[in-house]
Amino acid sequence: MSASPTTVASLAAMKARGERIAVLTCYDATFARLLDEAGVEVMLVGDSLGMVLQGHPTTVPVTLDQMVYHTACVTRGSSRALVVADLPFMSYATPERALESASRLMQEGGAQMVKLEGGEPYLDTVRQLVAQGAPVCAHLGLQPQSVNQLGGYRFQGRDHASAERIRHDALAMQDAGASLLVLECVPQALAGEIARTLTIPVIGIGAGAECDGQVLVLQDMLGLNPGRAPRFSRDFTVAGGSVRGAVDAYVVAVREGSFPSAPEIAY
């Protein structure tokens, strides 16, 4: 683990060296300090806070003001990890609105990168964000903000047509200037193929063990999910024995490639 701050360039260098990238969601300064000390490369201020902190059934109700607030909390506790903030539902409906939203997350919240869900319809948005100096993380596969359209949290890319669409969108997002890609709930073979094809790092969640890194929702990783935990998750407090131990165990497991293991790979 390097003591130097994580940057877009250092993440790309990790991929080139074949070093796996450890990512966790984070929503406050206390956990930000803990994750930073444990060596997590990327902290994702996810709109998942709508579910794990606010108690909503989806991420849709989360507002931009709330994302700015939590991003600022995280950046105050972080000195080394790269902080990525989600653009919440409808905050990037047009390129102009995306620029305004990203400006707030980066200027007021201190984020170093913004993340958006979706493929081809958002290529121009990504180009304009990058042109203005805002690094972008793309998010393909299961897109939680579209849960009402999808009819639930369902695995994506299991048929030929949807797999081809994800492949196409992944390459298109890279070409548009995205610096990072999250693949959620897609088959391991598809995720691995995309990770090997792209030059930018690919971070998986429920996408098997062949990505360049892994991300989990912090509360899932700590076994704090009040409902049924996602199949692709793991309660790292079992191995770690404490909150700090769980984070350390997660980072080691991602680094050495022992997470996700076969039981945690759905497809």
Side-chain angles (χ1 to χ4, degrees):
M1 178 192 75
S2 171
S4 301
T6 305
T7 65
V8 171
S10 64
L11 292 176
M14 287 185 70
K15 177 183 173 91
R17 293 192 298 265
E19 299 174 5
R20 292 182 174 88
I21 299 164
V23 185
L24 281 169
T25 66
C26 190
Y27 316 104
D28 63 59
T30 299
F31 269 109
R33 283 189 289 270
L34 190 152
L35 269 57
D36 217 46
E37 292 168 359
V40 171
E41 275 83 32
V42 179
M43 295 184 208
L44 171 60
V45 187
D47 58 3
S48 49
L49 67 88
M51 301 174 75
V52 299
L53 297 188
Q54 298 174 341
H56 295 299
T58 73
T59 64
V60 172
V62 177
T63 67
L64 182 60
D65 284 344
Q66 292 165 350
M67 289 302 305
V68 171
Y69 170 83
H70 284 279
T71 301
C73 292
V74 170
T75 56
R76 284 193 289 269
S78 170
S79 61
R80 190 195 58 82
L82 185 79
V83 176
V84 180
D86 270 342
L87 287 162
F89 182 68
M90 287 294 179
S91 70
Y92 52 101
T94 65
E96 294 74 23
R97 190 166 182 184
L99 290 170
E100 294 172 0
S101 301
S103 175
R104 290 198 60 199
L105 287 170
M106 298 183 74
Q107 291 185 301
E108 298 176 41
Q112 295 149 298
M113 179 183 285
V114 296
K115 181 168 76 66
L116 57 78
E117 298 179 10
E120 189 166 4
Y122 298 99
L123 294 177
D124 189 50
T125 297
V126 173
R127 294 188 191 100
Q128 292 198 39
L129 285 167
V130 172
Q132 296 301 319
V136 174
C137 174
H139 183 142
L140 299 173
L142 173 60
Q143 297 164 34
Q145 291 177 12
S146 300
V147 64
N148 291 315
Q149 190 175 54
L150 295 172
Y153 296 95
R154 306 177 188 279
F155 264 76
Q156 305 296 305
R158 296 174 62 189
D159 61 86
H160 178 75
S162 60
E164 280 299 307
R165 184 168 59 253
I166 293 169
R167 287 189 191 95
H168 170 271
D169 285 347
L171 282 166
M173 280 289 175
Q174 176 177 267
D175 291 344
S179 301
L180 200 63
L181 171 65
V182 169
L183 286 178
E184 181 169 359
C185 292
V186 301
Q188 176 172 265
L190 175 62
E193 176 190 340
I194 291 171
R196 289 186 292 272
T197 300
L198 299 188
T199 58
I200 63 173
V202 176
I203 309 300
I205 177 168
E210 298 179 16
C211 295
D212 302 305
Q214 298 291 328
V215 60
L216 283 178
V217 170
L218 179 64
Q219 280 76 358
D220 288 343
M221 187 275 297
L222 294 174
L224 297 177
N225 191 315
R228 188 176 68 176
R231 175 177 171 178
F232 54 76
S233 185
R234 182 190 302 178
D235 180 356
F236 280 88
T237 62
V238 175
S242 67
V243 171
R244 175 57 193 265
V247 177
D248 288 341
Y250 172 77
V251 171
V252 169
V254 172
R255 293 265 197 281
E256 67 185 15
S258 61
F259 175 77
S261 63
E264 295 148 347
I265 299 172
Y267 298 100

